[in-house]
Short mmCIF file of all heavy atoms in Angstrom, two decimals:
data_model
loop_
_atom_site.label_atom_id
_atom_site.label_comp_id
_atom_site.label_asym_id
_atom_site.label_seq_id
_atom_site.Cartn_x
_atom_site.Cartn_y
_atom_site.Cartn_z
N SER A 14 -68.94 14.84 71.24
CA SER A 14 -68.00 15.39 72.29
C SER A 14 -66.60 14.82 71.98
O SER A 14 -66.34 14.10 71.15
CB SER A 14 -68.45 14.78 73.67
OG SER A 14 -68.39 13.44 73.77
N ARG A 15 -65.67 15.38 72.76
CA ARG A 15 -64.26 14.99 72.62
C ARG A 15 -64.16 13.51 73.04
O ARG A 15 -65.02 13.06 73.73
CB ARG A 15 -63.43 15.85 73.53
CG ARG A 15 -63.79 15.97 75.02
CD ARG A 15 -62.94 16.80 75.80
NE ARG A 15 -61.58 16.28 75.93
CZ ARG A 15 -60.53 16.90 76.40
NH1 ARG A 15 -60.76 18.09 76.95
NH2 ARG A 15 -59.31 16.36 76.56
N SER A 16 -63.10 12.79 72.66
CA SER A 16 -62.96 11.47 72.93
C SER A 16 -62.98 11.22 74.42
O SER A 16 -62.39 12.13 75.21
CB SER A 16 -61.68 10.96 72.32
OG SER A 16 -61.84 10.88 70.90
N GLY A 17 -63.33 10.05 74.83
CA GLY A 17 -63.52 9.86 76.25
C GLY A 17 -64.96 9.79 76.73
O GLY A 17 -65.28 9.14 77.73
N GLY A 18 -65.65 10.48 75.93
CA GLY A 18 -67.14 10.45 76.27
C GLY A 18 -67.94 10.00 74.93
O GLY A 18 -68.77 9.08 75.15
N ASP A 19 -67.57 10.55 73.90
CA ASP A 19 -68.21 10.32 72.63
C ASP A 19 -69.69 10.31 72.68
O ASP A 19 -70.36 9.45 72.16
CB ASP A 19 -67.76 8.97 72.04
CG ASP A 19 -66.38 9.04 71.38
OD1 ASP A 19 -65.94 10.09 71.08
OD2 ASP A 19 -65.82 7.94 71.14
N SER A 20 -70.25 11.33 73.37
CA SER A 20 -71.52 11.65 73.26
C SER A 20 -71.93 12.27 72.02
O SER A 20 -71.05 12.96 71.45
CB SER A 20 -72.04 12.60 74.55
OG SER A 20 -71.66 12.09 75.79
N THR A 21 -73.21 12.05 71.53
CA THR A 21 -73.68 12.61 70.26
C THR A 21 -74.92 13.30 70.52
O THR A 21 -75.71 12.97 71.52
CB THR A 21 -73.71 11.60 69.20
OG1 THR A 21 -74.73 10.49 69.62
CG2 THR A 21 -72.42 11.00 68.89
N TYR A 22 -75.25 14.20 69.59
CA TYR A 22 -76.51 15.03 69.82
C TYR A 22 -76.93 15.42 68.43
O TYR A 22 -76.03 15.80 67.55
CB TYR A 22 -76.26 16.23 70.72
CG TYR A 22 -77.45 17.06 70.90
CD1 TYR A 22 -78.61 16.54 71.51
CD2 TYR A 22 -77.62 18.37 70.40
CE1 TYR A 22 -79.71 17.40 71.72
CE2 TYR A 22 -78.65 19.12 70.54
CZ TYR A 22 -79.79 18.60 71.25
OH TYR A 22 -80.95 19.38 71.38
N TYR A 23 -78.18 15.39 68.13
CA TYR A 23 -78.68 15.61 66.81
C TYR A 23 -79.96 16.62 66.83
O TYR A 23 -80.66 16.58 67.74
CB TYR A 23 -79.11 14.32 66.12
CG TYR A 23 -78.14 13.24 65.89
CD1 TYR A 23 -77.88 12.39 66.90
CD2 TYR A 23 -77.30 13.35 64.90
CE1 TYR A 23 -76.81 11.43 66.77
CE2 TYR A 23 -76.23 12.45 64.63
CZ TYR A 23 -76.09 11.48 65.73
OH TYR A 23 -75.11 10.50 65.53
N ALA A 24 -79.97 17.36 65.74
CA ALA A 24 -81.23 18.11 65.50
C ALA A 24 -82.29 17.20 65.29
O ALA A 24 -82.14 16.15 64.74
CB ALA A 24 -80.99 19.04 64.37
N ASP A 25 -83.46 17.61 65.82
CA ASP A 25 -84.66 16.79 65.62
C ASP A 25 -85.01 16.36 64.24
O ASP A 25 -85.40 15.26 63.86
CB ASP A 25 -85.91 17.51 66.22
CG ASP A 25 -85.85 17.49 67.70
OD1 ASP A 25 -85.11 16.77 68.33
OD2 ASP A 25 -86.67 18.30 68.29
N SER A 26 -84.73 17.34 63.30
CA SER A 26 -84.96 17.08 61.91
C SER A 26 -84.01 15.94 61.20
O SER A 26 -84.41 15.50 60.15
CB SER A 26 -84.71 18.45 61.07
OG SER A 26 -83.37 18.89 61.15
N VAL A 27 -83.00 15.63 61.88
CA VAL A 27 -82.21 14.54 61.25
C VAL A 27 -81.97 13.38 62.17
O VAL A 27 -81.42 12.32 61.77
CB VAL A 27 -80.68 15.14 60.98
CG1 VAL A 27 -80.76 16.37 60.11
CG2 VAL A 27 -79.93 15.41 62.26
N LYS A 28 -82.59 13.40 63.35
CA LYS A 28 -82.44 12.34 64.33
C LYS A 28 -82.97 11.00 63.72
O LYS A 28 -84.07 11.01 63.16
CB LYS A 28 -83.20 12.66 65.64
CG LYS A 28 -82.82 11.95 66.83
CD LYS A 28 -83.49 12.43 68.17
CE LYS A 28 -83.10 13.83 68.34
NZ LYS A 28 -83.64 14.41 69.58
N GLY A 29 -82.26 9.98 63.81
CA GLY A 29 -82.66 8.71 63.21
C GLY A 29 -82.24 8.48 61.85
O GLY A 29 -82.35 7.35 61.27
N ARG A 30 -81.73 9.52 61.23
CA ARG A 30 -81.37 9.40 59.73
C ARG A 30 -79.84 9.65 59.53
O ARG A 30 -79.19 9.10 58.76
CB ARG A 30 -82.05 10.45 58.92
CG ARG A 30 -83.67 10.18 58.94
CD ARG A 30 -84.34 11.10 57.82
NE ARG A 30 -84.17 12.54 58.07
CZ ARG A 30 -83.66 13.40 57.26
NH1 ARG A 30 -83.16 12.97 56.07
NH2 ARG A 30 -83.60 14.65 57.58
N PHE A 31 -79.24 10.63 60.41
CA PHE A 31 -77.93 11.05 60.30
C PHE A 31 -77.15 10.48 61.46
O PHE A 31 -77.59 10.31 62.66
CB PHE A 31 -77.79 12.55 60.35
CG PHE A 31 -78.27 13.32 59.17
CD1 PHE A 31 -79.01 12.63 58.13
CD2 PHE A 31 -78.05 14.60 58.92
CE1 PHE A 31 -79.55 13.18 56.96
CE2 PHE A 31 -78.43 15.27 57.78
CZ PHE A 31 -79.26 14.59 56.82
N THR A 32 -75.85 10.29 61.19
CA THR A 32 -74.95 9.67 62.28
C THR A 32 -73.60 10.38 62.20
O THR A 32 -73.03 10.32 61.13
CB THR A 32 -74.80 8.16 62.26
OG1 THR A 32 -76.02 7.47 62.33
CG2 THR A 32 -73.91 7.68 63.31
N ILE A 33 -73.18 10.99 63.33
CA ILE A 33 -71.87 11.59 63.37
C ILE A 33 -71.00 10.58 64.00
O ILE A 33 -71.29 9.90 64.95
CB ILE A 33 -71.84 13.04 64.09
CG1 ILE A 33 -70.50 13.61 64.02
CG2 ILE A 33 -72.39 12.75 65.52
CD1 ILE A 33 -70.62 15.03 64.56
N SER A 34 -69.66 10.57 63.44
CA SER A 34 -68.69 9.73 63.98
C SER A 34 -67.28 10.26 63.83
O SER A 34 -67.13 11.26 63.04
CB SER A 34 -68.76 8.23 63.46
OG SER A 34 -68.52 8.31 62.10
N ARG A 35 -66.34 9.71 64.37
CA ARG A 35 -64.92 10.14 64.27
C ARG A 35 -63.90 9.11 64.22
O ARG A 35 -64.23 7.93 64.60
CB ARG A 35 -64.58 11.03 65.51
CG ARG A 35 -64.48 10.10 66.77
CD ARG A 35 -64.56 10.94 68.07
NE ARG A 35 -63.62 12.06 68.01
CZ ARG A 35 -63.86 13.21 68.68
NH1 ARG A 35 -65.00 13.40 69.34
NH2 ARG A 35 -63.11 14.30 68.57
N ASP A 36 -62.96 9.41 63.40
CA ASP A 36 -61.70 8.43 63.34
C ASP A 36 -60.47 9.20 63.77
O ASP A 36 -59.97 9.99 63.06
CB ASP A 36 -61.54 8.05 61.86
CG ASP A 36 -60.53 7.10 61.66
OD1 ASP A 36 -59.55 6.91 62.59
OD2 ASP A 36 -60.56 6.20 60.82
N ASN A 37 -60.08 8.99 65.11
CA ASN A 37 -59.14 9.72 65.62
C ASN A 37 -57.71 9.54 64.88
O ASN A 37 -56.90 10.44 64.82
CB ASN A 37 -58.93 9.30 67.09
CG ASN A 37 -60.06 9.86 67.98
OD1 ASN A 37 -60.80 10.80 67.51
ND2 ASN A 37 -60.36 9.24 69.10
N ALA A 38 -57.54 8.37 64.48
CA ALA A 38 -56.23 7.96 63.77
C ALA A 38 -56.12 8.76 62.45
O ALA A 38 -54.95 9.13 62.15
CB ALA A 38 -56.18 6.48 63.49
N GLU A 39 -57.26 8.97 61.89
CA GLU A 39 -57.22 9.83 60.63
C GLU A 39 -57.59 11.24 60.82
O GLU A 39 -57.55 12.06 59.89
CB GLU A 39 -58.31 9.26 59.69
CG GLU A 39 -58.06 7.81 59.18
CD GLU A 39 -56.80 7.60 58.28
OE1 GLU A 39 -56.55 8.58 57.58
OE2 GLU A 39 -56.11 6.57 58.46
N ASN A 40 -57.83 11.71 62.04
CA ASN A 40 -58.15 13.06 62.35
C ASN A 40 -59.33 13.50 61.50
O ASN A 40 -59.29 14.72 60.96
CB ASN A 40 -56.99 13.87 62.18
CG ASN A 40 -56.52 14.58 63.47
OD1 ASN A 40 -57.08 14.23 64.52
ND2 ASN A 40 -55.47 15.38 63.40
N THR A 41 -60.26 12.71 61.30
CA THR A 41 -61.47 12.92 60.43
C THR A 41 -62.71 12.64 61.12
O THR A 41 -62.93 11.67 61.93
CB THR A 41 -61.35 11.94 59.12
OG1 THR A 41 -60.11 12.33 58.51
CG2 THR A 41 -62.56 12.26 58.21
N VAL A 42 -63.77 13.51 60.84
CA VAL A 42 -64.97 13.36 61.32
C VAL A 42 -65.99 13.07 60.22
O VAL A 42 -65.82 13.64 59.13
CB VAL A 42 -65.59 14.56 62.15
CG1 VAL A 42 -66.90 14.42 62.53
CG2 VAL A 42 -64.65 14.84 63.34
N TYR A 43 -67.01 12.31 60.45
CA TYR A 43 -67.84 11.84 59.43
C TYR A 43 -69.32 12.32 59.71
O TYR A 43 -69.77 12.39 60.90
CB TYR A 43 -67.79 10.39 59.15
CG TYR A 43 -66.47 9.97 58.69
CD1 TYR A 43 -65.68 9.29 59.69
CD2 TYR A 43 -65.98 9.99 57.36
CE1 TYR A 43 -64.37 8.93 59.27
CE2 TYR A 43 -64.70 9.55 57.01
CZ TYR A 43 -63.85 8.97 58.03
OH TYR A 43 -62.69 8.67 57.64
N LEU A 44 -70.21 12.41 58.54
CA LEU A 44 -71.62 12.55 58.80
C LEU A 44 -72.26 11.55 57.84
O LEU A 44 -72.27 11.90 56.60
CB LEU A 44 -72.07 13.95 58.70
CG LEU A 44 -73.59 14.29 58.92
CD1 LEU A 44 -73.86 14.16 60.36
CD2 LEU A 44 -74.00 15.63 58.48
N GLN A 45 -72.72 10.50 58.28
CA GLN A 45 -73.50 9.56 57.53
C GLN A 45 -74.88 9.98 57.39
O GLN A 45 -75.57 10.24 58.40
CB GLN A 45 -73.41 8.15 58.10
CG GLN A 45 -74.20 7.18 57.26
CD GLN A 45 -73.62 6.86 55.95
OE1 GLN A 45 -72.38 6.76 55.74
NE2 GLN A 45 -74.48 6.81 54.91
N MET A 46 -75.40 10.28 56.19
CA MET A 46 -76.68 10.84 55.99
C MET A 46 -77.49 9.74 55.16
O MET A 46 -77.10 9.47 53.99
CB MET A 46 -76.68 12.15 55.29
CG MET A 46 -75.73 13.20 55.89
SD MET A 46 -75.87 14.77 55.15
CE MET A 46 -75.26 14.36 53.60
N ASN A 47 -78.52 9.21 55.73
CA ASN A 47 -79.36 8.22 55.20
C ASN A 47 -80.92 8.84 55.00
O ASN A 47 -81.21 9.95 55.59
CB ASN A 47 -79.53 7.03 55.92
CG ASN A 47 -78.24 6.31 56.16
OD1 ASN A 47 -77.31 6.37 55.29
ND2 ASN A 47 -77.99 5.67 57.23
N SER A 48 -81.58 8.29 54.13
CA SER A 48 -82.99 8.59 53.83
C SER A 48 -83.09 10.19 53.55
O SER A 48 -83.81 10.81 54.20
CB SER A 48 -83.91 8.21 54.98
OG SER A 48 -83.75 6.93 55.18
N LEU A 49 -82.30 10.58 52.76
CA LEU A 49 -82.17 12.06 52.40
C LEU A 49 -83.54 12.66 51.88
O LEU A 49 -84.12 11.90 51.09
CB LEU A 49 -81.08 12.41 51.49
CG LEU A 49 -79.67 12.39 52.23
CD1 LEU A 49 -78.56 12.21 51.25
CD2 LEU A 49 -79.43 13.63 53.08
N LYS A 50 -83.82 13.84 52.34
CA LYS A 50 -85.00 14.54 51.85
C LYS A 50 -84.53 15.84 51.06
O LYS A 50 -83.61 16.41 51.36
CB LYS A 50 -85.90 14.85 53.07
CG LYS A 50 -86.24 13.62 53.95
CD LYS A 50 -87.02 14.12 55.13
CE LYS A 50 -87.33 12.89 56.04
NZ LYS A 50 -88.07 13.33 57.26
N PRO A 51 -85.55 16.33 50.27
CA PRO A 51 -85.18 17.58 49.65
C PRO A 51 -84.98 18.62 50.66
O PRO A 51 -84.12 19.62 50.37
CB PRO A 51 -86.48 17.87 48.90
CG PRO A 51 -87.14 16.52 48.57
CD PRO A 51 -86.72 15.72 49.78
N GLU A 52 -85.49 18.77 51.82
CA GLU A 52 -85.25 19.74 52.77
C GLU A 52 -83.92 19.61 53.41
O GLU A 52 -83.47 20.51 54.24
CB GLU A 52 -86.38 19.76 53.88
CG GLU A 52 -86.80 18.39 54.47
CD GLU A 52 -87.79 17.69 53.82
OE1 GLU A 52 -87.94 17.69 52.58
OE2 GLU A 52 -88.65 17.12 54.64
N ASP A 53 -83.17 18.57 53.06
CA ASP A 53 -81.73 18.44 53.54
C ASP A 53 -80.82 19.23 52.68
O ASP A 53 -79.65 19.30 52.90
CB ASP A 53 -81.35 17.00 53.69
CG ASP A 53 -82.16 16.14 54.63
OD1 ASP A 53 -82.38 16.78 55.83
OD2 ASP A 53 -82.49 15.01 54.42
N THR A 54 -81.25 19.72 51.60
CA THR A 54 -80.45 20.41 50.58
C THR A 54 -79.84 21.72 51.35
O THR A 54 -80.66 22.52 51.93
CB THR A 54 -81.28 20.89 49.45
OG1 THR A 54 -81.70 19.70 48.74
CG2 THR A 54 -80.39 21.82 48.52
N ALA A 55 -78.58 21.80 51.39
CA ALA A 55 -77.84 22.93 52.00
C ALA A 55 -76.46 22.76 51.77
O ALA A 55 -75.89 21.75 51.27
CB ALA A 55 -78.16 22.86 53.46
N ILE A 56 -75.67 23.73 52.20
CA ILE A 56 -74.26 23.65 52.33
C ILE A 56 -73.95 23.19 53.74
O ILE A 56 -74.43 23.78 54.77
CB ILE A 56 -73.51 25.02 52.13
CG1 ILE A 56 -73.81 25.51 50.65
CG2 ILE A 56 -72.01 24.87 52.32
CD1 ILE A 56 -73.26 26.91 50.33
N TYR A 57 -73.17 22.14 53.83
CA TYR A 57 -72.85 21.56 55.15
C TYR A 57 -71.43 21.97 55.54
O TYR A 57 -70.47 21.78 54.74
CB TYR A 57 -72.91 19.98 55.05
CG TYR A 57 -74.41 19.50 54.98
CD1 TYR A 57 -75.24 19.80 53.84
CD2 TYR A 57 -74.91 18.92 56.11
CE1 TYR A 57 -76.52 19.38 53.96
CE2 TYR A 57 -76.27 18.50 56.18
CZ TYR A 57 -76.99 18.71 55.08
OH TYR A 57 -78.42 18.36 55.12
N TYR A 58 -71.35 22.41 56.73
CA TYR A 58 -70.08 22.82 57.36
C TYR A 58 -69.69 21.99 58.53
O TYR A 58 -70.54 21.66 59.35
CB TYR A 58 -70.29 24.37 57.78
CG TYR A 58 -70.67 25.26 56.73
CD1 TYR A 58 -71.89 25.56 56.44
CD2 TYR A 58 -69.61 25.89 56.05
CE1 TYR A 58 -72.24 26.54 55.45
CE2 TYR A 58 -69.90 26.94 55.11
CZ TYR A 58 -71.23 27.15 54.74
OH TYR A 58 -71.53 28.10 53.80
N CYS A 59 -68.40 21.78 58.58
CA CYS A 59 -67.78 21.12 59.75
C CYS A 59 -67.19 22.15 60.69
O CYS A 59 -66.67 23.21 60.06
CB CYS A 59 -66.70 20.20 59.18
SG CYS A 59 -65.71 19.32 60.47
#
C-alpha cells in the first residue's frame, strides 16, 4: 500500500518466500525472492 499503512499482500504461490518492500528515499520498490522454484520462471513487471 501507499506509505502510512504499508500493508502487503501476496499471491498464495509466493507467500512465505517473497517479500515486497519500498525505499521512499530512493523511490524504489523491491521484491526479495527466496527459495525460488522452476514455476517462478517468468517476466516480472513492476
Side-chain angles (χ1 to χ4, degrees):
S14 64
R15 58 182 291 174
S16 292
D19 278 350
S20 300
T21 58
Y22 180 65
Y23 299 92
D25 287 343
S26 58
V27 306
K28 200 173 297 182
R30 299 188 297 122
F31 290 11
T32 303
I33 186 171
S34 62
R35 68 195 313 145
D36 184 332
N37 291 335
E39 297 293 329
N40 248 0
T41 299
V42 175
Y43 301 99
L44 184 68
Q45 177 66 44
M46 307 187 296
N47 299 329
S48 302
L49 283 161
K50 305 175 181 180
E52 51 263 43
D53 294 319
T54 295
I56 299 174
Y57 283 71
Y58 298 92
C59 175

